[in-house]
Amino acid sequence: MARQTPVSRRERPAKPALTRDGIVDVAMAILVAEGAQALTMRRIAAELDTGPASLYVYVRNATELSSLLIDRLIASLDLSWDGAEPWRDRLHRLLADYSAMLAAHPGIARSALFVWPDGPHYLDLIELLMRLLTTAGVRPEPAGRATDLLLQHATAAVAEWDGRRDRGEQDLGDLVATLGAADPERHPTLHALGPALFVGGSHEERGAWIIDVILDGVLARS
């Protein structure tokens, strides 16, 4: 019987060294290909041919990974402003782009509700919002609070629509039916106005209106 020739483990290709950026790269690839529901530390570790415990040397937990992923997504946004575009128009465009970015990756918006992004691109986003608001004459303290409120609204709006889409148990027709069933004696105002008042207009139009209301309030108080 022929003796089997031993093979040295040194001849096998060396695995790439783990890095934080490399982990985020793999997580981003999974996010784009399969969605946020596939993002687990175990799955990322398998793609990197290592164990989940090895990842925690570079990323503390799933929350930190989410914060790094959101920062990576923010990098895709145009965060420049030369002052030529009116500040309010630029702010509307920025928040519309931010919302579209989150909507393109279902599940991430819900993470963003509870996670502060971590990285330079998040700081670029905050920097631009603060520049726009202070250019409009808003004092620094209310500008900081307004920045938080505007991002919170944009994130929550996308997360709400994502949640409804995933559950698939209700649609806008259900809300129209509920409002249309208002009793004329118990709910005379609702009955007289009708459902269209509450569901009319596109999602984008309603979102822009809310942003203007926030901005007008901030400017009035500032």
Side-chain angles (χ1 to χ4, degrees):
M1 182 176 179
R3 184 177 178 182
Q4 189 174 19
T5 303
V7 178
S8 171
R9 296 180 63 182
R10 294 175 182 264
E11 295 177 5
R12 298 177 183 176
K15 291 189 294 186
L18 286 177
T19 65
R20 173 182 278 201
D21 284 343
I23 291 169
V24 176
D25 288 342
V26 169
M28 181 63 69
I30 295 172
L31 173 67
V32 171
E34 303 176 42
Q37 74 281 354
L39 275 175
T40 65
M41 300 300 270
R42 184 175 298 277
R43 174 62 193 285
I44 296 167
E47 291 291 326
L48 289 166
D49 192 21
T50 189
S54 300
L55 303 185
Y56 294 114
V57 176
Y58 305 90
V59 180
R60 288 195 307 271
N61 48 42
T63 297
E64 184 177 24
L65 178 62
S66 293
S67 70
L68 294 169
L69 271 175
I70 296 168
D71 184 73
R72 183 72 66 86
L73 288 171
I74 291 172
S76 67
L77 300 179
D78 174 13
L79 299 176
S80 62
W81 184 53
D82 60 6
E85 185 177 9
W87 73 268
R88 189 183 287 251
D89 292 347
R90 183 66 184 96
L91 192 147
H92 270 283
R93 184 162 64 87
L94 173 62
L95 292 178
D97 290 346
Y98 173 80
S99 297
M101 175 205 77
L102 292 177
H105 303 283
I108 284 294
R110 277 169 276 175
S111 295
L113 279 175
F114 309 104
V115 172
W116 286 301
D118 180 4
H121 306 108
Y122 171 63
L123 296 179
D124 292 340
L125 175 62
I126 300 300
E127 169 76 14
L128 178 54
L129 283 167
M130 288 295 291
R131 281 184 61 205
L132 292 167
L133 290 167
T134 53
T135 296
V138 181
R139 291 180 289 105
E141 183 177 354
R145 295 181 180 182
T147 293
D148 181 54
L149 180 59
L150 289 165
L151 289 176
Q152 185 181 64
H153 160 69
T155 304
V158 177
E160 179 187 14
W161 282 96
D162 270 354
R164 287 190 175 133
R165 176 177 55 191
D166 285 351
R167 291 179 66 87
E169 297 169 356
Q170 288 184 313
D171 59 32
L172 202 57
D174 296 315
L175 177 59
V176 171
T178 298
L179 293 169
D183 184 271
E185 294 186 2
R186 183 171 178 173
H187 313 111
T189 305
L190 294 179
H191 179 77
L193 294 174
L197 186 69
F198 300 93
V199 299
S202 69
H203 179 62
E204 291 76 17
E205 290 171 344
R206 297 174 74 87
W209 182 84
I210 292 172
I211 291 170
D212 277 328
V213 168
I214 294 172
L215 292 176
D216 291 344
V218 170
L219 289 169
R221 290 184 63 87
S222 190

